Amino acid sequence: MTAGPLLGIAAAAIAALLVLVIRFKLHAFLALILVSLITAFATGIPVNQIVPTLVNNFGKTLGAVALLVGLGAMLGRLVENSGGARVLADRMIELFGEKRAPLALGMASLLMGFPIFFDAGLIVMLPIVFAVARRLGGPILLYAIPTAAAFSVMHVFVPPHPGPVTASELYGANLGLLMLAGLVVILPMWYLSGYLWGKFCAKHYSFQLAESFFGGVDDDEIKNPPTVGTVIGMLLLPLVLIFMNTGLDFLRAAGMADPDQTWFQILSTLGSTPIALLISVLVATIVLGTRRGENGSAIEKILESSLGPICSVVLITGAGGMFGGVLRASGIGDALADSLGDLGLPVILAAYVVAVVMRLAQGSATVALVTAAGLMAPAVATGDYSTMQVIAVTLATAAGSVFAGHVNDSGFWLVGRLLGMDVRTTLKTWTVQQTIESVVGFVLAYIMFIIF
């Protein structure tokens, strides 16, 4: 099929999914599977490949998400059960004050987001977010939106995250300058789309935290809570390990390290997100469990209790990845790339538009960024652009790739379910946040393009 019919089918599928979930209250997991199946038939995927396409894309998303969410929930439950989340929340409020708590959480998440991926960072930080929300009794979105937005802007715009690194390689952008420019633009971007938008959402969607998937613990049940330093150490451990891995990838992209070396591969494995979280959970069982007097069976029950509440989150997120995978398998990306190849627009605007369309059509920000960069790279290479203008085009492409994340994006379901929001509320809060982030990012990149 050409891009027109494929876009029409994709739009109809998204509309059907929203109607099923919002109007008819069909469970999101069932709705995503059903719409994915019908979309696969409608887009002409060979009948004998439909089920493998559904299962493979579900498994691909689940393989990453289940490990991150499962291990992250275990780590969060240990921090929560030990009283560590409450201890750290109290100290943050003591240092920054109640009014500055959202700002403090967001700034901490920006720092944590430098080495860690969006979903993993969100899982690690949420116990503290929930503890602050419970401690102050405020709307959860007041604290959660600045935190989630911080991880989003870091993941999309700043190396050594894989999206901007890959785009820089395709465009031939200087990786060091891209990092510096990314760090400059993410601050106003986060302030507008994270901090200020979080305050707006808290006023208009002021629901309290009902029950986090970490399971709240009464203060009376906590005995011998850990020190603030111990809790910070537990949160920093996975970050240090993951930073080692992303740092190695940065050195590889810069040509400063050989990925075929044994030492590189060993360190890279230890620093991969699932292994880093596994190591952190094992260390936390000792530091926050055994050393505080918990016996083996008690720790096992604590860890077991963390898994039940996250099952729905994991399955729905996997099904969201399945839906996006079906759209990609339909060929919509290739069809759009062919039709958008000659837009007659300024190169920076064309890069942004291509990334936006790709994002809306198939969901994955990484796929949108890489596809748009690959499509626009020849135009950038043959044009007379300065080094900073190439950086600006790279940032504009990244901005387009994050535009309006919705139901075909697994991250949409992850954020919505972790924060206890229904689909309608997630669209009004998180989807709009992603849109603001995208538009502000493009405006800043365009200003940079004009100045330099």
Side-chain angles (χ1 to χ4, degrees), residues 344-368:
L345 299 173
V347 66
I348 188 169
L349 181 58
Y352 178 73
V353 170
V354 171
V356 165
V357 175
M358 293 297 299
R359 164 71 159 174
L360 292 174
Q362 52 75 47
S364 170
T366 301
V367 171

Side-chain angles (χ1 to χ4, degrees), residues 226-247:
T227 64
V228 173
T230 300
V231 178
I232 292 176
M234 285 295 92
L235 296 178
L236 288 180
L237 177 58
L239 299 183
V240 171
L241 293 171
I242 292 168
F243 182 76
M244 176 179 64
N245 189 32
T246 51

Side-chain angles (χ1 to χ4, degrees), residues 127-197:
I128 312 305
V129 173
F130 293 156
V132 171
R134 279 196 299 270
R135 170 74 167 73
L136 299 179
I140 182 59
L141 294 184
L142 179 63
Y143 313 101
I145 291 294
T147 298
F151 287 114
S152 176
V153 297
M154 292 298 291
H155 185 78
V156 172
F157 291 91
V158 181
H161 291 285
V165 168
T166 303
S168 70
E169 293 174 347
L170 291 170
Y171 280 129
N174 183 289
L175 199 58
L177 285 177
L178 178 62
M179 178 183 292
L180 292 176
L183 291 173
V184 170
V185 301
I186 59 115
L187 292 176
M189 194 187 314
W190 169 80
Y191 187 79
L192 292 171
S193 70
Y195 179 65
L196 294 183
W197 178 245

Side-chain angles (χ1 to χ4, degrees), residues 7 74 107 161 165 215 228 249 266 289 327 357 372 415 417 432 444:
L7 276 175
M74 284 183 168
M107 296 302 294
H161 291 285
V165 168
V228 173
D249 192 57
I266 292 175
L327 293 176
V357 175
V415 171
R417 294 295 156 167
V432 175
L444 294 173

Side-chain angles (χ1 to χ4, degrees), residues 118-445:
F118 168 77
D119 42 11
L122 188 61
I123 290 293
V124 171
M125 195 64 182
L126 275 182
I128 312 305
V129 173
F130 293 156
V132 171
R134 279 196 299 270
R135 170 74 167 73
L136 299 179
I140 182 59
L141 294 184
L142 179 63
Y143 313 101
I145 291 294
T147 298
F151 287 114
S152 176
V153 297
M154 292 298 291
H155 185 78
V156 172
F157 291 91
V158 181
H161 291 285
V165 168
T166 303
S168 70
E169 293 174 347
L170 291 170
Y171 280 129
N174 183 289
L175 199 58
L177 285 177
L178 178 62
M179 178 183 292
L180 292 176
L183 291 173
V184 170
V185 301
I186 59 115
L187 292 176
M189 194 187 314
W190 169 80
Y191 187 79
L192 292 171
S193 70
Y195 179 65
L196 294 183
W197 178 245
K199 294 177 70 174
F200 178 88
C201 290
K203 291 180 180 179
H204 292 80
Y205 309 98
S206 57
F207 60 91
Q208 306 290 321
L209 179 67
E211 182 179 353
S212 77
F213 63 90
F214 297 110
V217 179
D218 293 334
D219 292 347
D220 295 337
E221 298 177 6
I222 299 173
K223 299 177 181 179
N224 187 27
T227 64
V228 173
T230 300
V231 178
I232 292 176
M234 285 295 92
L235 296 178
L236 288 180
L237 177 58
L239 299 183
V240 171
L241 293 171
I242 292 168
F243 182 76
M244 176 179 64
N245 189 32
T246 51
L248 288 171
D249 192 57
F250 180 81
L251 293 176
R252 175 204 59 78
M256 301 172 63
D258 183 3
D260 294 327
Q261 294 292 320
T262 302
W263 66 268
F264 185 99
Q265 296 174 359
I266 292 175
L267 293 179
S268 181
T269 299
L270 293 176
S272 63
T273 304
I275 303 303
L277 285 174
L278 173 62
I279 294 172
S280 301
V281 171
L282 294 176
V283 173
T285 59
I286 298 174
V287 175
L288 301 179
T290 305
R291 293 185 63 181
R292 294 179 54 256
E294 300 280 6
N295 58 40
S297 59
I299 295 174
E300 192 273 337
K301 289 180 180 179
I302 292 171
L303 297 176
E304 176 67 24
S305 68
S306 68
L307 297 180
I310 67 165
C311 287
S312 178
V313 174
V314 171
L315 290 175
I316 292 173
T317 303
M322 174 200 297
F323 181 44
V326 167
L327 293 176
R328 289 190 291 274
S330 70
I332 191 170
D334 294 335
L336 283 173
D338 291 340
S339 61
L340 295 173
D342 187 16
L343 294 174
L345 299 173
V347 66
I348 188 169
L349 181 58
Y352 178 73
V353 170
V354 171
V356 165
V357 175
M358 293 297 299
R359 164 71 159 174
L360 292 174
Q362 52 75 47
S364 170
T366 301
V367 171
L369 176 53
V370 173
T371 302
L375 182 65
M376 299 304 301
V380 173
T382 56
D384 185 19
Y385 302 109
S386 68
T387 300
M388 288 306 300
Q389 285 181 321
V390 175
I391 297 293
V393 172
T394 306
L395 292 174
T397 311
S401 73
V402 77
F403 186 88
H406 60 94
V407 292
N408 60 359
D409 175 27
S410 60
F412 170 90
W413 298 99
L414 184 66
V415 171
R417 294 295 156 167
L418 289 178
L419 300 182
M421 296 188 289
D422 58 23
V423 172
R424 187 193 301 271
T425 306
T426 310
L427 287 168
K428 292 179 179 180
T429 56
W430 182 246
T431 299
V432 175
Q433 185 281 324
Q434 296 277 271
T435 304
I436 298 172
E437 179 181 327
S438 173
V439 173
V440 173
F442 173 71
V443 170
L444 294 173

